Amino acid sequence: MLTVRDLMTRDVVTLDPDLSLRDAVELFTARHVSGAPVTSGGRLVGVLSANDVLAFEDATPGVPTERPE
């Protein structure tokens, strides 16, 4: 029987809660992932997904789309 262990990623990308949203999206792109656990002090404090980012951008008018110089 196939198990989660057979498919799971062992080299897990984690995010710090203070990481900028832009940096998190760039990390998702660079590592080809669509989400990551958020950890603080080695403890899981949440999860951020690409869907969360898209929903935020959709619901928040005037979100900057370019990085400031």
Side-chain angles (χ1 to χ4, degrees), residues 31-67:
R31 295 292 297 271
H32 305 285
V33 297
S34 61
V38 180
T39 59
S40 180
R43 187 165 177 251
L44 179 67
V45 295
V47 175
L48 180 70
S49 71
N51 192 53
D52 295 330
V53 176
L54 291 172
F56 170 77
E57 287 184 349
D58 183 53
T60 309
V63 172
T65 58
E66 296 180 9
R67 183 179 283 250

Side-chain angles (χ1 to χ4, degrees), residues 8-16 19 23-39 44 46-49:
M8 71 183 192
T9 301
R10 288 177 169 73
D11 183 21
V12 177
V13 175
T14 61
L15 305 173
D16 183 275
L19 186 67
D23 287 341
V25 169
E26 289 176 0
L27 184 60
F28 286 176
T29 302
R31 295 292 297 271
H32 305 285
V33 297
S34 61
V38 180
T39 59
L44 179 67
V47 175
L48 180 70
S49 71

